[in-house]
Amino acid sequence: MEELNNRVCDAITILRSNKKQANENTIFKSLYGESKPLDKEQLIESINYLMESKVILNKPHGGKNS
């Protein structure tokens, strides 16, 4: 689980540096091609855990998650 959390944080950093929105879909697309299989439910659980731990912050804009 910790490895997935690190991969999610890295993907968010890369997406932000490329001026792209780091939402669930773009994070999933950026991690999907990696060697370790990824399920969208696992990704959502990881994102929720990171938000609860205050590692990442969700700032909704226009009713959509960021």
Side-chain angles (χ1 to χ4, degrees):
M1 182 76 162
E2 181 149 342
E3 182 181 342
L4 178 58
N5 292 340
N6 291 335
R7 290 171 49 204
V8 168
C9 288
D10 291 343
I12 290 171
T13 302
I14 291 168
L15 288 168
R16 289 286 181 210
S17 68
N18 292 334
K19 308 263 189 232
K20 294 185 178 181
Q21 186 177 12
N23 59 31
E24 294 164 351
N25 291 330
T26 56
I27 295 169
F28 182 75
K29 287 178 186 176
S30 68
L31 295 176
Y32 186 74
E34 292 185 5
S35 60
K36 300 212 178 207
L38 178 66
D39 187 295
K40 195 153 188 177
E41 293 172 9
Q42 292 173 322
L43 175 67
I44 292 170
E45 286 178 21
S46 176
I47 291 172
N48 288 335
Y49 172 77
L50 292 170
M51 284 191 306
E52 289 172 6
S53 307
K54 308 246 189 250
V55 174
I56 60 175
L57 180 63
N58 181 21
K59 294 181 182 178
H61 182 71
K64 296 181 181 178
N65 290 332
S66 64

